[in-house]
Amino acid sequence: MPFTIAVAGKGGTGKTTIAALLIELLRERGAGPILAVDADPNVNLHELLGLEVARTVGELREETLERIADLPAGLPKEQYLELGLQECLVEDEGVDLLVMGHGEGPKCYCMVNHILRKYIDVLRGNYKYVVIDNEAGMEHLSRRTTQDVDALIVVARADPISIRSARRISELAAALKLRIKGRYLLVNDLAGELPPALEAELAQTGLPLLGVVPHDEEVLRLALAGRPLSNLSAGSPAKRGLARSLEALTREERSTPKEVEQRWR
Ligand SMILES: Nc1ncnc2c1ncn2[C@@H]1O[C@H](COP(=O)(O)OP(=O)(O)O)[C@@H](O)[C@H]1O
Ligand SMILES: [Mg+2]
């Protein structure tokens, strides 16, 4: 199975930026194939990756329910969804993108979700890495659209409110009883040094600090111009900072859950 990285955190902390940069770093290393999953209903990972969205899984789900009664004879729901999922996949060099799209309306989605989960799981098997950009509430994780997670990266800015929010998200993930091998904190968009006054807050999250990603004007400029992060220069401080965190994660990839726990204790 692939190594699955889920990026979570409060809105505006830089989840999508971190997810896109991780994908760029993995892609540059030829570590793919990578499956990028945009699990935030406020869809924007594709923009940072410079990709177009085809059809979202949410749209597929709604269409399937609308058409269920008049699907052509001989085309079972399963096959319709499997084919539909292929159409949702945007393919690019070394990375494919799956956009989950909007959440669910008031209908009964159990059957459709059950089949979708099965095919998303089959799809995952084709990749070496899965990188998921989650929304703050982690709805997809909680509904287990995404199954096992190897590394849950909770992104926070270097302020107490953001770090406390990271702690709550981590506790939520623990309460959901998901199969998560390692949970980490990543401080993003840091100007200067980590303020010593934050140390107690950081410790209270109970999360090991995976790394610190510095503030990077070029990241912000590209976002404001709506341009993908592949345009970042090689010396980008954010990318270099995140590369160190990725090294640490790659070590985890080869470790058992027990070794991971001992390393960070
Ligand atoms: N390390 C960084 N340096 C500079 N700007 C950043 C950095 N990380 C994120 N940003 C900016 O912060 C804003 C929010 O980031 P985004 O990734 O969209 O957050 P989220 O997905 O958590 O809502 C964007 O304008 C983004 O360009
Ligand atoms: Mg986002």
Side-chain angles (χ1 to χ4, degrees):
M1 279 314 259
F3 188 81
T4 300
I5 304 172
V7 185
K10 187 171 170 284
T13 50
K15 293 181 293 297
T16 307
T17 305
I18 296 297
L21 283 175
L22 280 172
I23 291 163
E24 289 298 338
L25 285 164
L26 288 167
R27 188 149 64 158
E28 279 169 16
R29 287 168 195 194
I34 308 157
L35 176 64
V37 179
D38 189 345
D40 189 339
N42 179 17
V43 171
N44 62 356
L45 180 62
H46 68 285
E47 284 165 355
L48 295 190
L49 294 175
L51 300 174
E52 299 284 332
V53 179
R55 183 190 197 190
T56 71
V57 175
E59 284 162 1
L60 170 66
R61 192 165 44 211
E62 293 295 334
E63 281 164 25
T64 309
L65 281 180
E66 271 161 31
R67 291 191 190 160
I68 226 155
D70 47 49
L71 282 182
L75 182 64
K77 294 180 288 293
E78 290 237 352
Q79 210 181 335
Y80 181 79
L81 281 164
E82 189 185 6
L83 289 171
L85 201 59
Q86 287 301 328
E87 285 169 20
C88 291
L89 207 61
V90 183
E91 297 180 6
D92 194 28
E93 190 113 8
V95 60
D96 293 346
L97 172 70
L98 191 66
V99 178
M100 302 309 290
H102 54 75
E104 297 174 351
K107 296 178 194 149
C108 175
Y109 296 85
C110 292
M111 181 268 295
V112 173
N113 278 341
H114 178 75
I115 301 173
L116 275 175
R117 257 198 303 271
K118 178 170 130 190
Y119 286 117
I120 290 175
D121 248 13
V122 172
L123 184 70
R124 274 168 24 113
N126 298 333
Y127 299 90
K128 282 205 184 133
Y129 286 91
V130 177
V131 178
I132 309 164
D133 178 17
N134 286 281
E135 92 273 45
M138 298 199 298
E139 191 200 341
H140 287 285
L141 282 183
S142 63
R143 278 195 285 111
R144 293 175 169 71
T145 320
T146 30
Q147 301 265 333
D148 302 338
V149 172
D150 292 285
L152 176 71
I153 303 180
V154 188
V155 184
R157 287 180 185 261
D159 65 72
I161 292 177
S162 186
I163 292 169
R164 279 172 216 163
S165 171
R167 176 184 175 178
R168 279 193 296 274
I169 287 171
S170 164
E171 286 168 356
L172 173 66
L176 291 172
K177 302 217 177 335
L178 298 165
R179 277 172 292 184
I180 301 176
K181 189 164 140 189
R183 285 184 283 157
Y184 313 90
L185 184 69
L186 184 80
V187 173
N188 180 36
D189 204 13
L190 180 72
E193 298 288 309
L194 254 184
L198 277 183
E199 266 171 32
E201 294 282 356
L202 289 170
Q204 273 174 21
T205 64
L207 292 168
L209 185 62
L210 180 66
V212 171
V213 175
H215 173 75
D216 188 333
E217 270 307 306
E218 206 187 352
V219 166
L220 192 56
R221 241 182 296 129
L222 287 172
L224 292 175
R227 295 179 60 210
L229 288 176
S230 54
N231 291 300
L232 272 181
S233 44
S236 146
K239 203 164 162 186
R240 282 168 57 181
L242 191 62
R244 281 193 288 276
S245 299
L246 184 59
E247 298 297 332
L249 276 189
T250 322
R251 272 200 306 275
E252 310 288 79
E253 195 178 337
R254 296 185 294 264
S255 311
T256 63
K258 188 139 197 89
E259 285 165 345
V260 169
E261 196 193 314
Q262 280 168 349
R263 179 172 304 129
W264 294 95
R265 204 170 17 205

